[in-house]
Amino acid sequence: KGLEDFNRVTLVCEDPYVMGVTYAALNSSYTIVGVKNKHMQENGWSQPPDLHMVFLEDTGWLCEVQLLFYDILEIKKEMHRYYGLSRA
C-alpha cells in the first residue's frame, strides 16, 4: 500500500456554528470520503474530541482534516508534552 494521505491540516473553530459552516463549505467543495465525529465517543473521551474528515482532491490525493475547538487544541498541546515525557 502506498502513501495516500499526504496532506493533513487542523482547522481551529471558535464555536459549533463555525465548525458546522466550515464542514458545509468543505463538503460543498470536495468529495468527502470519510467522517468521524469524535465528540461522541463511547465510554468517555479516549481521543481529543474533534470532527475528523477525509476528502478526495482533484489530483487523486486524500486530505485529512481535523476540525476542533481552540480550547481543545490548547489541551491537546499540553497533553502532548506529557506524552513525550512518558515515551522518553
Side-chain angles (χ1 to χ4, degrees):
K1 183 174 175 167
L3 179 65
E4 294 179 338
D5 62 343
F6 185 69
N7 299 309
R8 292 182 179 164
V9 65
T10 297
L11 300 177
V12 180
C13 302
E14 189 67 29
D15 57 48
Y17 180 80
V18 172
M19 186 176 285
V21 169
T22 303
Y23 172 83
L26 289 169
N27 193 32
S28 70
S29 301
Y30 299 98
T31 302
I32 305 295
V33 295
V35 177
K36 290 183 185 175
N37 183 353
K38 294 184 181 177
H39 290 98
M40 302 180 68
Q41 298 177 38
E42 293 183 25
N43 304 320
W45 289 329
S46 60
Q47 299 177 343
D50 65 10
L51 189 60
H52 188 160
M53 305 166 53
V54 178
F55 63 83
L56 184 64
E57 294 183 346
D58 295 337
T59 61
W61 285 94
L62 296 175
C63 184
E64 181 181 311
V65 179
Q66 290 183 10
L67 302 179
L68 68 142
F69 300 121
Y70 176 79
D71 291 341
I72 299 299
L73 178 61
E74 290 302 308
I75 293 168
K76 188 176 172 179
K77 286 179 186 177
E78 191 67 27
M79 294 301 295
H80 192 66
R81 211 182 286 176
Y82 295 106
Y83 173 73
L85 288 172
S86 71
R87 293 184 49 119

